[in-house]
Amino acid sequence: MQPLTVKSNAFEEGGLIPIRYTARGEDLSPDFELEGIVDHAESIAITCDDASHPLFPNYNHWVIWNIPVQEIIKEGIPRGATVDSLGGAIQGIAYGRNRYKGPKPPLNAFHTYVFTVYVLDCKIDLSPKSRKRDLLNQMEGHILQQATLLGKFKNR
Protein backbone atom coordinates (compact mmCIF):
# COMPACT_ATOMS: atom_id res chain seq x y z
CA MET A 1 0.00 0.00 0.00
CA GLN A 2 1.44 3.36 -1.02
CA PRO A 3 1.63 5.89 1.83
CA LEU A 4 -1.08 8.50 2.24
CA THR A 5 -0.66 11.56 4.44
CA VAL A 6 -3.59 13.45 5.95
CA LYS A 7 -3.26 16.88 7.57
CA SER A 8 -5.61 19.66 8.58
CA ASN A 9 -5.29 23.41 8.96
CA ALA A 10 -7.70 23.10 11.91
CA PHE A 11 -5.27 21.23 14.19
CA GLU A 12 -1.98 19.36 14.11
CA GLU A 13 -1.60 15.59 14.48
CA GLY A 14 -2.24 14.81 18.15
CA GLY A 15 -3.09 18.45 18.85
CA LEU A 16 -6.10 20.13 20.39
CA ILE A 17 -9.20 20.43 18.25
CA PRO A 18 -10.43 24.06 18.34
CA ILE A 19 -13.90 24.51 19.81
CA ARG A 20 -15.16 25.68 16.40
CA TYR A 21 -14.96 22.04 15.19
CA THR A 22 -16.77 20.59 18.21
CA ALA A 23 -20.39 20.21 19.30
CA ARG A 24 -19.63 22.89 21.93
CA GLY A 25 -18.85 25.35 19.13
CA GLU A 26 -19.96 25.66 15.50
CA ASP A 27 -19.77 21.88 14.95
CA LEU A 28 -17.96 22.28 11.61
CA SER A 29 -16.12 19.37 10.06
CA PRO A 30 -12.40 20.23 9.75
CA ASP A 31 -10.62 20.54 6.43
CA PHE A 32 -8.36 17.76 5.21
CA GLU A 33 -5.26 17.92 3.02
CA LEU A 34 -4.34 14.61 1.42
CA GLU A 35 -0.90 13.93 0.00
CA GLY A 36 0.12 10.92 -2.08
CA ILE A 37 -3.26 9.82 -3.46
CA VAL A 38 -2.72 7.02 -5.98
CA ASP A 39 -3.63 7.72 -9.63
CA HIS A 40 -6.26 5.00 -9.92
CA ALA A 41 -8.34 6.16 -6.92
CA GLU A 42 -12.10 6.44 -7.52
CA SER A 43 -13.47 7.85 -4.25
CA ILE A 44 -12.71 8.84 -0.66
CA ALA A 45 -14.45 7.93 2.60
CA ILE A 46 -13.92 9.46 6.06
CA THR A 47 -14.88 8.32 9.54
CA CYS A 48 -14.48 10.05 12.90
CA ASP A 49 -14.44 8.06 16.13
CA ASP A 50 -14.09 8.91 19.81
CA ALA A 51 -11.24 6.62 20.85
CA SER A 52 -11.66 7.54 24.54
CA HIS A 53 -15.36 6.86 25.06
CA PRO A 54 -15.55 4.91 28.35
CA LEU A 55 -18.65 2.85 27.48
CA PHE A 56 -18.48 2.45 23.71
CA PRO A 57 -14.87 2.20 22.46
CA ASN A 58 -14.33 4.02 19.16
CA TYR A 59 -17.78 5.58 19.30
CA ASN A 60 -18.55 6.73 15.76
CA HIS A 61 -19.27 10.44 15.30
CA TRP A 62 -19.25 10.68 11.49
CA VAL A 63 -19.24 8.57 8.38
CA ILE A 64 -19.13 9.90 4.82
CA TRP A 65 -18.31 8.15 1.54
CA ASN A 66 -18.22 8.68 -2.23
CA ILE A 67 -16.28 11.92 -1.88
CA PRO A 68 -14.73 12.68 -5.28
CA VAL A 69 -10.96 12.19 -5.35
CA GLN A 70 -9.31 15.49 -4.36
CA GLU A 71 -6.32 16.66 -2.36
CA ILE A 72 -8.23 19.33 -0.43
CA ILE A 73 -11.52 18.65 1.34
CA LYS A 74 -12.87 21.93 2.67
CA GLU A 75 -14.16 22.42 6.21
CA GLY A 76 -17.83 22.69 7.02
CA ILE A 77 -19.32 19.86 4.99
CA PRO A 78 -23.08 20.56 5.01
CA ARG A 79 -25.57 18.42 6.90
CA GLY A 80 -27.70 15.98 5.00
CA ALA A 81 -27.69 12.48 3.59
CA THR A 82 -26.44 13.65 0.19
CA VAL A 83 -23.81 16.38 -0.12
CA ASP A 84 -24.27 18.01 -3.53
CA SER A 85 -21.24 20.27 -3.06
CA LEU A 86 -19.11 17.10 -2.82
CA GLY A 87 -20.38 15.41 -5.96
CA GLY A 88 -23.23 13.63 -4.21
CA ALA A 89 -21.17 12.17 -1.36
CA ILE A 90 -23.28 10.26 1.18
CA GLN A 91 -23.29 10.81 4.95
CA GLY A 92 -24.51 7.82 6.91
CA ILE A 93 -25.87 7.31 10.40
CA ALA A 94 -23.54 7.96 13.32
CA TYR A 95 -23.75 10.11 16.45
CA GLY A 96 -24.31 12.88 13.93
CA ARG A 97 -27.24 11.52 11.94
CA ASN A 98 -26.32 12.16 8.29
CA ARG A 99 -23.85 14.84 9.30
CA TYR A 100 -20.62 15.57 11.09
CA LYS A 101 -21.01 15.63 14.87
CA GLY A 102 -17.89 16.97 16.50
CA PRO A 103 -16.34 16.18 19.87
CA LYS A 104 -18.64 16.44 22.87
CA PRO A 105 -17.10 14.68 25.86
CA PRO A 106 -18.58 15.15 29.33
CA LEU A 107 -17.56 18.19 31.38
CA ASN A 108 -13.82 18.12 32.24
CA ALA A 109 -13.28 14.94 30.20
CA PHE A 110 -10.33 14.80 27.79
CA HIS A 111 -11.00 12.58 24.75
CA THR A 112 -9.04 11.58 21.64
CA TYR A 113 -10.76 11.61 18.26
CA VAL A 114 -9.53 9.67 15.24
CA PHE A 115 -10.32 10.83 11.72
CA THR A 116 -9.64 8.02 9.25
CA VAL A 117 -9.43 8.73 5.53
CA TYR A 118 -9.83 5.86 3.08
CA VAL A 119 -8.92 6.06 -0.61
CA LEU A 120 -10.94 3.52 -2.59
CA ASP A 121 -10.85 1.91 -6.01
CA CYS A 122 -14.64 2.28 -6.43
CA LYS A 123 -17.71 4.15 -5.30
CA ILE A 124 -19.73 2.58 -2.52
CA ASP A 125 -23.38 1.64 -3.08
CA LEU A 126 -24.98 2.09 0.33
CA SER A 127 -28.08 3.80 1.64
CA PRO A 128 -27.71 6.95 3.78
CA LYS A 129 -29.28 4.83 6.54
CA SER A 130 -26.04 2.81 6.66
CA ARG A 131 -23.60 2.90 9.55
CA LYS A 132 -19.83 2.66 9.85
CA ARG A 133 -19.86 -1.15 10.08
CA ASP A 134 -21.82 -1.30 6.79
CA LEU A 135 -19.28 0.98 5.13
CA LEU A 136 -16.34 -1.04 6.45
CA ASN A 137 -17.91 -4.23 5.09
CA GLN A 138 -18.51 -2.66 1.66
CA MET A 139 -14.98 -1.23 1.52
CA GLU A 140 -13.34 -4.59 2.21
CA GLY A 141 -11.00 -5.38 -0.70
CA HIS A 142 -11.38 -1.86 -2.14
CA ILE A 143 -9.12 0.18 0.16
CA LEU A 144 -6.11 1.44 -1.78
CA GLN A 145 -4.81 3.72 0.97
CA GLN A 146 -5.67 4.70 4.52
CA ALA A 147 -4.39 7.33 6.94
CA THR A 148 -5.46 8.80 10.27
CA LEU A 149 -5.40 12.19 11.94
CA LEU A 150 -5.72 12.31 15.74
CA GLY A 151 -7.04 15.27 17.66
CA LYS A 152 -7.89 15.86 21.31
CA PHE A 153 -10.57 17.89 23.02
CA LYS A 154 -11.29 18.71 26.64
CA ASN A 155 -14.72 19.97 27.55
CA ARG A 156 -14.36 22.73 30.14
Short mmCIF file of all heavy atoms in Angstrom, two decimals, residues 79-137:
data_model
loop_
_atom_site.label_atom_id
_atom_site.label_comp_id
_atom_site.label_asym_id
_atom_site.label_seq_id
_atom_site.Cartn_x
_atom_site.Cartn_y
_atom_site.Cartn_z
N ARG A 79 -24.75 19.52 6.38
CA ARG A 79 -25.57 18.42 6.90
C ARG A 79 -26.40 17.84 5.78
O ARG A 79 -26.69 18.51 4.80
CB ARG A 79 -26.51 18.94 7.99
CG ARG A 79 -25.79 19.50 9.17
CD ARG A 79 -26.75 20.16 10.13
NE ARG A 79 -26.00 20.76 11.22
CZ ARG A 79 -26.42 20.86 12.44
NH1 ARG A 79 -27.62 20.43 12.77
NH2 ARG A 79 -25.67 21.39 13.38
N GLY A 80 -26.80 16.60 5.96
CA GLY A 80 -27.70 15.98 5.00
C GLY A 80 -27.16 14.66 4.50
O GLY A 80 -25.96 14.41 4.51
N ALA A 81 -28.07 13.80 4.07
CA ALA A 81 -27.69 12.48 3.59
C ALA A 81 -26.84 12.56 2.33
O ALA A 81 -25.89 11.82 2.17
CB ALA A 81 -28.95 11.66 3.34
N THR A 82 -27.19 13.47 1.43
CA THR A 82 -26.44 13.65 0.19
C THR A 82 -25.82 15.04 0.20
O THR A 82 -26.50 16.02 0.51
CB THR A 82 -27.38 13.51 -1.03
OG1 THR A 82 -28.01 12.23 -0.97
CG2 THR A 82 -26.61 13.62 -2.33
N VAL A 83 -24.54 15.11 -0.13
CA VAL A 83 -23.81 16.38 -0.12
C VAL A 83 -23.53 16.77 -1.58
O VAL A 83 -22.56 16.31 -2.18
CB VAL A 83 -22.50 16.28 0.68
CG1 VAL A 83 -21.81 17.63 0.75
CG2 VAL A 83 -22.76 15.72 2.08
N ASP A 84 -24.40 17.61 -2.13
CA ASP A 84 -24.27 18.01 -3.53
C ASP A 84 -22.96 18.72 -3.82
O ASP A 84 -22.37 18.53 -4.88
CB ASP A 84 -25.44 18.90 -3.93
CG ASP A 84 -26.77 18.15 -3.95
OD1 ASP A 84 -26.76 16.91 -4.11
OD2 ASP A 84 -27.82 18.80 -3.79
N SER A 85 -22.49 19.52 -2.86
CA SER A 85 -21.24 20.27 -3.06
C SER A 85 -20.01 19.36 -3.10
O SER A 85 -18.93 19.79 -3.46
CB SER A 85 -21.07 21.33 -1.97
OG SER A 85 -20.99 20.72 -0.69
N LEU A 86 -20.19 18.09 -2.75
CA LEU A 86 -19.11 17.10 -2.82
C LEU A 86 -19.48 15.98 -3.81
O LEU A 86 -19.26 14.80 -3.54
CB LEU A 86 -18.82 16.49 -1.44
CG LEU A 86 -17.85 17.24 -0.55
CD1 LEU A 86 -17.68 16.52 0.78
CD2 LEU A 86 -16.51 17.44 -1.21
N GLY A 87 -20.08 16.37 -4.91
CA GLY A 87 -20.38 15.41 -5.96
C GLY A 87 -21.36 14.32 -5.58
O GLY A 87 -21.32 13.22 -6.12
N GLY A 88 -22.24 14.62 -4.62
CA GLY A 88 -23.23 13.63 -4.21
C GLY A 88 -22.73 12.64 -3.17
O GLY A 88 -23.29 11.56 -3.00
N ALA A 89 -21.67 13.01 -2.45
CA ALA A 89 -21.17 12.17 -1.36
C ALA A 89 -22.32 11.86 -0.39
O ALA A 89 -23.26 12.64 -0.26
CB ALA A 89 -20.03 12.86 -0.63
N ILE A 90 -22.22 10.72 0.27
CA ILE A 90 -23.28 10.26 1.18
C ILE A 90 -22.76 10.29 2.62
O ILE A 90 -21.67 9.80 2.91
CB ILE A 90 -23.70 8.81 0.84
CG1 ILE A 90 -24.13 8.68 -0.61
CG2 ILE A 90 -24.80 8.33 1.79
CD1 ILE A 90 -25.37 9.43 -0.98
N GLN A 91 -23.58 10.86 3.52
CA GLN A 91 -23.29 10.81 4.95
C GLN A 91 -24.26 9.82 5.58
O GLN A 91 -25.47 9.93 5.40
CB GLN A 91 -23.44 12.19 5.59
CG GLN A 91 -22.40 13.17 5.05
CD GLN A 91 -22.42 14.49 5.75
OE1 GLN A 91 -21.59 14.73 6.62
NE2 GLN A 91 -23.35 15.36 5.38
N GLY A 92 -23.70 8.85 6.29
CA GLY A 92 -24.51 7.82 6.91
C GLY A 92 -24.93 8.17 8.32
O GLY A 92 -24.83 9.31 8.77
N ILE A 93 -25.37 7.16 9.04
CA ILE A 93 -25.87 7.31 10.40
C ILE A 93 -24.73 7.07 11.39
O ILE A 93 -24.08 6.03 11.37
CB ILE A 93 -27.01 6.31 10.69
CG1 ILE A 93 -28.15 6.48 9.69
CG2 ILE A 93 -27.50 6.45 12.13
CD1 ILE A 93 -28.87 7.80 9.77
N ALA A 94 -24.50 8.04 12.23
CA ALA A 94 -23.54 7.96 13.32
C ALA A 94 -24.13 8.79 14.45
O ALA A 94 -25.32 9.08 14.46
CB ALA A 94 -22.17 8.48 12.87
N TYR A 95 -23.29 9.20 15.38
CA TYR A 95 -23.75 10.11 16.45
C TYR A 95 -24.35 11.35 15.82
O TYR A 95 -25.37 11.85 16.25
CB TYR A 95 -22.56 10.42 17.35
CG TYR A 95 -22.84 11.32 18.52
CD1 TYR A 95 -23.94 11.13 19.34
CD2 TYR A 95 -21.96 12.35 18.83
CE1 TYR A 95 -24.18 11.95 20.43
CE2 TYR A 95 -22.18 13.16 19.92
CZ TYR A 95 -23.28 12.96 20.71
OH TYR A 95 -23.49 13.77 21.78
N GLY A 96 -23.72 11.82 14.74
CA GLY A 96 -24.31 12.88 13.93
C GLY A 96 -25.10 12.21 12.82
O GLY A 96 -24.54 11.68 11.89
N ARG A 97 -26.41 12.21 12.93
CA ARG A 97 -27.24 11.52 11.94
C ARG A 97 -27.15 12.25 10.61
O ARG A 97 -27.65 13.36 10.49
CB ARG A 97 -28.68 11.46 12.42
CG ARG A 97 -28.85 10.57 13.65
CD ARG A 97 -30.28 10.53 14.11
NE ARG A 97 -31.19 9.96 13.14
CZ ARG A 97 -31.43 8.65 13.03
NH1 ARG A 97 -30.82 7.80 13.82
NH2 ARG A 97 -32.27 8.22 12.12
N ASN A 98 -26.52 11.62 9.62
CA ASN A 98 -26.32 12.16 8.29
C ASN A 98 -25.63 13.53 8.32
O ASN A 98 -25.99 14.44 7.58
CB ASN A 98 -27.65 12.28 7.53
CG ASN A 98 -28.34 10.95 7.37
OD1 ASN A 98 -29.38 10.71 7.96
ND2 ASN A 98 -27.76 10.06 6.59
N ARG A 99 -24.64 13.61 9.21
CA ARG A 99 -23.85 14.84 9.30
C ARG A 99 -22.66 14.61 10.21
O ARG A 99 -22.60 13.62 10.94
CB ARG A 99 -24.69 15.99 9.85
CG ARG A 99 -25.09 15.81 11.31
CD ARG A 99 -25.98 16.96 11.74
NE ARG A 99 -26.35 16.86 13.14
CZ ARG A 99 -25.82 17.59 14.11
NH1 ARG A 99 -24.90 18.47 13.85
NH2 ARG A 99 -26.23 17.45 15.34
N TYR A 100 -21.74 15.55 10.16
CA TYR A 100 -20.62 15.57 11.09
C TYR A 100 -21.13 15.97 12.46
O TYR A 100 -21.91 16.93 12.59
CB TYR A 100 -19.58 16.58 10.60
CG TYR A 100 -18.47 16.85 11.58
CD1 TYR A 100 -17.41 15.98 11.71
CD2 TYR A 100 -18.48 17.99 12.37
CE1 TYR A 100 -16.37 16.22 12.60
CE2 TYR A 100 -17.45 18.24 13.27
CZ TYR A 100 -16.41 17.37 13.38
OH TYR A 100 -15.39 17.61 14.27
N LYS A 101 -20.71 15.26 13.49
CA LYS A 101 -21.01 15.63 14.87
C LYS A 101 -19.68 15.63 15.60
O LYS A 101 -19.07 14.59 15.84
CB LYS A 101 -21.97 14.62 15.51
CG LYS A 101 -22.37 14.97 16.92
CD LYS A 101 -23.22 16.20 16.96
CE LYS A 101 -23.86 16.38 18.32
NZ LYS A 101 -24.67 17.58 18.38
N GLY A 102 -19.21 16.82 15.91
CA GLY A 102 -17.89 16.97 16.50
C GLY A 102 -17.80 16.51 17.94
O GLY A 102 -18.78 16.08 18.55
N PRO A 103 -16.59 16.59 18.49
CA PRO A 103 -16.34 16.18 19.87
C PRO A 103 -17.32 16.80 20.86
O PRO A 103 -17.65 17.98 20.76
CB PRO A 103 -14.91 16.66 20.12
CG PRO A 103 -14.28 16.63 18.77
CD PRO A 103 -15.36 17.05 17.83
N LYS A 104 -17.72 15.98 21.83
CA LYS A 104 -18.64 16.44 22.87
C LYS A 104 -18.49 15.56 24.10
O LYS A 104 -19.44 14.93 24.55
CB LYS A 104 -20.08 16.39 22.35
CG LYS A 104 -21.08 17.06 23.26
CD LYS A 104 -22.47 16.93 22.69
CE LYS A 104 -23.48 17.53 23.65
NZ LYS A 104 -24.85 17.36 23.17
N PRO A 105 -17.27 15.50 24.65
CA PRO A 105 -17.10 14.68 25.86
C PRO A 105 -17.79 15.33 27.06
O PRO A 105 -18.12 16.52 27.01
CB PRO A 105 -15.59 14.64 26.05
CG PRO A 105 -15.09 15.90 25.41
CD PRO A 105 -16.03 16.17 24.27
N PRO A 106 -18.00 14.58 28.12
CA PRO A 106 -18.58 15.15 29.33
C PRO A 106 -17.70 16.27 29.90
O PRO A 106 -16.51 16.36 29.58
CB PRO A 106 -18.64 13.97 30.31
CG PRO A 106 -18.51 12.76 29.47
CD PRO A 106 -17.72 13.15 28.26
N LEU A 107 -18.27 17.08 30.76
CA LEU A 107 -17.56 18.19 31.38
C LEU A 107 -16.25 17.71 32.02
O LEU A 107 -16.24 16.70 32.72
CB LEU A 107 -18.45 18.86 32.43
CG LEU A 107 -18.00 20.21 32.96
CD1 LEU A 107 -17.89 21.23 31.83
CD2 LEU A 107 -18.97 20.72 34.01
N ASN A 108 -15.17 18.39 31.74
CA ASN A 108 -13.82 18.12 32.24
C ASN A 108 -13.20 16.83 31.72
O ASN A 108 -12.13 16.44 32.17
CB ASN A 108 -13.77 18.13 33.77
CG ASN A 108 -14.03 19.53 34.31
OD1 ASN A 108 -13.53 20.50 33.76
ND2 ASN A 108 -14.82 19.62 35.35
N ALA A 109 -13.85 16.16 30.78
CA ALA A 109 -13.28 14.94 30.20
C ALA A 109 -12.39 15.32 29.02
O ALA A 109 -12.67 16.25 28.28
CB ALA A 109 -14.38 14.00 29.74
N PHE A 110 -11.31 14.58 28.85
CA PHE A 110 -10.33 14.80 27.79
C PHE A 110 -10.35 13.57 26.89
O PHE A 110 -9.99 12.49 27.32
CB PHE A 110 -8.94 14.98 28.43
CG PHE A 110 -7.90 15.52 27.50
CD1 PHE A 110 -7.93 16.84 27.10
CD2 PHE A 110 -6.87 14.70 27.04
CE1 PHE A 110 -6.95 17.35 26.26
CE2 PHE A 110 -5.90 15.20 26.20
CZ PHE A 110 -5.95 16.53 25.81
N HIS A 111 -10.85 13.72 25.65
CA HIS A 111 -11.00 12.58 24.75
C HIS A 111 -10.15 12.75 23.50
O HIS A 111 -9.86 13.87 23.07
CB HIS A 111 -12.46 12.41 24.33
CG HIS A 111 -13.32 11.80 25.38
ND1 HIS A 111 -14.50 11.16 25.10
CD2 HIS A 111 -13.19 11.73 26.73
CE1 HIS A 111 -15.06 10.72 26.20
NE2 HIS A 111 -14.28 11.06 27.22
N THR A 112 -9.79 11.62 22.89
CA THR A 112 -9.04 11.58 21.64
C THR A 112 -9.97 11.16 20.52
O THR A 112 -10.73 10.19 20.67
CB THR A 112 -7.86 10.59 21.74
OG1 THR A 112 -6.98 11.03 22.78
CG2 THR A 112 -7.09 10.51 20.43
N TYR A 113 -9.91 11.88 19.42
CA TYR A 113 -10.76 11.61 18.26
C TYR A 113 -9.88 11.22 17.08
O TYR A 113 -8.84 11.83 16.84
CB TYR A 113 -11.62 12.83 17.92
CG TYR A 113 -12.57 13.12 19.06
CD1 TYR A 113 -12.17 13.86 20.16
CD2 TYR A 113 -13.85 12.57 19.06
CE1 TYR A 113 -13.02 14.06 21.24
CE2 TYR A 113 -14.70 12.77 20.13
CZ TYR A 113 -14.28 13.52 21.22
OH TYR A 113 -15.12 13.70 22.28
N VAL A 114 -10.30 10.20 16.36
CA VAL A 114 -9.53 9.67 15.24
C VAL A 114 -10.32 9.87 13.95
O VAL A 114 -11.43 9.32 13.80
CB VAL A 114 -9.22 8.17 15.43
CG1 VAL A 114 -8.40 7.66 14.25
CG2 VAL A 114 -8.49 7.93 16.74
N PHE A 115 -9.77 10.66 13.06
CA PHE A 115 -10.32 10.83 11.72
C PHE A 115 -9.56 9.86 10.82
O PHE A 115 -8.33 9.91 10.76
CB PHE A 115 -10.12 12.26 11.22
CG PHE A 115 -10.90 13.28 11.98
CD1 PHE A 115 -10.39 13.85 13.14
CD2 PHE A 115 -12.16 13.68 11.56
CE1 PHE A 115 -11.11 14.80 13.86
CE2 PHE A 115 -12.89 14.62 12.27
CZ PHE A 115 -12.37 15.18 13.42
N THR A 116 -10.27 8.97 10.15
CA THR A 116 -9.64 8.02 9.25
C THR A 116 -10.11 8.32 7.83
O THR A 116 -11.32 8.40 7.58
CB THR A 116 -9.99 6.57 9.63
OG1 THR A 116 -9.62 6.35 11.00
CG2 THR A 116 -9.23 5.58 8.74
N VAL A 117 -9.14 8.47 6.93
CA VAL A 117 -9.43 8.73 5.53
C VAL A 117 -9.08 7.48 4.74
O VAL A 117 -7.99 6.93 4.89
CB VAL A 117 -8.61 9.94 5.02
CG1 VAL A 117 -8.85 10.15 3.52
CG2 VAL A 117 -8.96 11.20 5.80
N TYR A 118 -10.02 7.04 3.92
CA TYR A 118 -9.83 5.86 3.08
C TYR A 118 -9.88 6.29 1.61
O TYR A 118 -10.81 7.00 1.21
CB TYR A 118 -10.96 4.86 3.30
CG TYR A 118 -11.14 4.39 4.72
CD1 TYR A 118 -11.99 5.07 5.59
CD2 TYR A 118 -10.48 3.26 5.19
CE1 TYR A 118 -12.17 4.64 6.90
CE2 TYR A 118 -10.66 2.82 6.49
CZ TYR A 118 -11.50 3.52 7.34
OH TYR A 118 -11.68 3.09 8.62
N VAL A 119 -8.91 5.86 0.84
CA VAL A 119 -8.92 6.06 -0.61
C VAL A 119 -9.31 4.72 -1.22
O VAL A 119 -8.70 3.69 -0.93
CB VAL A 119 -7.54 6.53 -1.10
CG1 VAL A 119 -7.51 6.62 -2.61
CG2 VAL A 119 -7.17 7.88 -0.48
N LEU A 120 -10.34 4.75 -2.08
CA LEU A 120 -10.94 3.52 -2.59
C LEU A 120 -10.81 3.40 -4.11
O LEU A 120 -10.71 4.41 -4.81
CB LEU A 120 -12.43 3.49 -2.21
CG LEU A 120 -12.74 3.71 -0.74
CD1 LEU A 120 -14.24 3.83 -0.52
CD2 LEU A 120 -12.16 2.60 0.11
N ASP A 121 -10.92 2.17 -4.57
CA ASP A 121 -10.85 1.91 -6.01
C ASP A 121 -12.23 1.88 -6.67
O ASP A 121 -12.40 1.46 -7.81
CB ASP A 121 -10.10 0.60 -6.30
CG ASP A 121 -10.84 -0.64 -5.82
OD1 ASP A 121 -11.96 -0.52 -5.25
OD2 ASP A 121 -10.30 -1.74 -6.00
N CYS A 122 -13.26 2.30 -5.93
CA CYS A 122 -14.64 2.28 -6.43
C CYS A 122 -15.47 3.29 -5.66
O CYS A 122 -15.00 3.88 -4.69
CB CYS A 122 -15.24 0.88 -6.25
SG CYS A 122 -15.43 0.41 -4.51
N LYS A 123 -16.71 3.44 -6.09
CA LYS A 123 -17.71 4.15 -5.30
C LYS A 123 -18.48 3.10 -4.53
O LYS A 123 -18.57 1.94 -4.95
CB LYS A 123 -18.63 4.97 -6.20
CG LYS A 123 -17.96 6.19 -6.78
CD LYS A 123 -18.96 7.14 -7.33
CE LYS A 123 -18.26 8.44 -7.68
NZ LYS A 123 -19.21 9.45 -8.12
N ILE A 124 -19.03 3.49 -3.41
CA ILE A 124 -19.73 2.58 -2.52
C ILE A 124 -21.24 2.74 -2.71
O ILE A 124 -21.75 3.86 -2.68
CB ILE A 124 -19.33 2.84 -1.04
CG1 ILE A 124 -17.84 2.64 -0.84
CG2 ILE A 124 -20.15 1.97 -0.11
CD1 ILE A 124 -17.33 1.23 -1.08
N ASP A 125 -21.94 1.63 -2.89
CA ASP A 125 -23.38 1.64 -3.08
C ASP A 125 -24.06 1.26 -1.77
O ASP A 125 -24.31 0.08 -1.51
CB ASP A 125 -23.76 0.66 -4.20
CG ASP A 125 -25.24 0.72 -4.54
OD1 ASP A 125 -25.90 1.72 -4.19
OD2 ASP A 125 -25.75 -0.25 -5.13
N LEU A 126 -24.31 2.28 -0.95
CA LEU A 126 -24.98 2.09 0.33
C LEU A 126 -26.02 3.17 0.54
O LEU A 126 -25.84 4.31 0.08
CB LEU A 126 -23.97 2.17 1.48
CG LEU A 126 -23.11 0.97 1.80
CD1 LEU A 126 -22.10 1.32 2.90
CD2 LEU A 126 -23.95 -0.22 2.23
N SER A 127 -27.05 2.86 1.27
CA SER A 127 -28.08 3.80 1.64
C SER A 127 -27.55 4.78 2.69
O SER A 127 -26.72 4.41 3.52
CB SER A 127 -29.27 3.02 2.22
OG SER A 127 -30.04 3.83 3.06
N PRO A 128 -28.07 6.01 2.72
CA PRO A 128 -27.71 6.95 3.78
C PRO A 128 -28.12 6.47 5.17
O PRO A 128 -27.70 7.04 6.16
CB PRO A 128 -28.47 8.23 3.41
CG PRO A 128 -28.77 8.10 1.96
CD PRO A 128 -28.91 6.63 1.70
N LYS A 129 -28.90 5.41 5.25
CA LYS A 129 -29.28 4.83 6.54
C LYS A 129 -28.20 3.88 7.06
O LYS A 129 -28.33 3.32 8.14
CB LYS A 129 -30.61 4.09 6.42
CG LYS A 129 -31.77 5.00 6.13
CD LYS A 129 -33.06 4.23 6.00
CE LYS A 129 -34.20 5.18 5.67
NZ LYS A 129 -35.46 4.48 5.46
N SER A 130 -27.13 3.73 6.29
CA SER A 130 -26.04 2.81 6.66
C SER A 130 -25.16 3.41 7.75
O SER A 130 -25.09 4.63 7.91
CB SER A 130 -25.20 2.48 5.43
OG SER A 130 -26.00 1.90 4.43
N ARG A 131 -24.49 2.52 8.46
CA ARG A 131 -23.60 2.90 9.55
C ARG A 131 -22.16 2.56 9.19
O ARG A 131 -21.89 1.95 8.15
CB ARG A 131 -24.01 2.19 10.82
CG ARG A 131 -25.40 2.56 11.29
CD ARG A 131 -25.80 1.85 12.58
NE ARG A 131 -27.12 2.27 13.00
CZ ARG A 131 -27.38 3.35 13.72
NH1 ARG A 131 -26.39 4.14 14.09
NH2 ARG A 131 -28.61 3.66 14.07
N LYS A 132 -21.26 2.89 10.09
CA LYS A 132 -19.83 2.66 9.85
C LYS A 132 -19.55 1.18 9.54
O LYS A 132 -18.79 0.88 8.62
CB LYS A 132 -19.01 3.12 11.06
CG LYS A 132 -17.53 2.88 10.90
CD LYS A 132 -16.76 3.25 12.16
CE LYS A 132 -15.33 2.77 12.08
NZ LYS A 132 -14.63 2.96 13.34
N ARG A 133 -20.14 0.28 10.29
CA ARG A 133 -19.86 -1.15 10.08
C ARG A 133 -20.28 -1.57 8.67
O ARG A 133 -19.63 -2.41 8.04
CB ARG A 133 -20.53 -2.00 11.14
CG ARG A 133 -22.03 -2.04 11.10
CD ARG A 133 -22.63 -2.95 12.17
NE ARG A 133 -24.06 -2.79 12.25
CZ ARG A 133 -24.68 -1.94 13.04
NH1 ARG A 133 -24.00 -1.17 13.86
NH2 ARG A 133 -26.01 -1.85 13.02
N ASP A 134 -21.38 -1.00 8.15
CA ASP A 134 -21.82 -1.30 6.79
C ASP A 134 -20.79 -0.80 5.78
O ASP A 134 -20.46 -1.50 4.82
CB ASP A 134 -23.18 -0.65 6.50
CG ASP A 134 -24.25 -1.06 7.49
OD1 ASP A 134 -24.36 -2.28 7.78
OD2 ASP A 134 -24.97 -0.17 8.00
N LEU A 135 -20.30 0.41 6.02
CA LEU A 135 -19.28 0.98 5.13
C LEU A 135 -18.02 0.13 5.16
O LEU A 135 -17.46 -0.19 4.11
CB LEU A 135 -18.97 2.42 5.52
CG LEU A 135 -17.86 3.09 4.71
CD1 LEU A 135 -18.24 3.19 3.24
CD2 LEU A 135 -17.54 4.46 5.28
N LEU A 136 -17.55 -0.23 6.34
CA LEU A 136 -16.34 -1.04 6.45
C LEU A 136 -16.49 -2.36 5.70
O LEU A 136 -15.56 -2.81 5.02
CB LEU A 136 -15.97 -1.28 7.91
CG LEU A 136 -15.54 -0.05 8.71
CD1 LEU A 136 -15.30 -0.41 10.16
CD2 LEU A 136 -14.32 0.61 8.11
N ASN A 137 -17.66 -2.98 5.81
CA ASN A 137 -17.91 -4.23 5.09
C ASN A 137 -17.87 -4.02 3.58
O ASN A 137 -17.27 -4.82 2.85
CB ASN A 137 -19.26 -4.84 5.49
CG ASN A 137 -19.24 -5.44 6.87
OD1 ASN A 137 -18.19 -5.83 7.37
ND2 ASN A 137 -20.40 -5.53 7.50
#
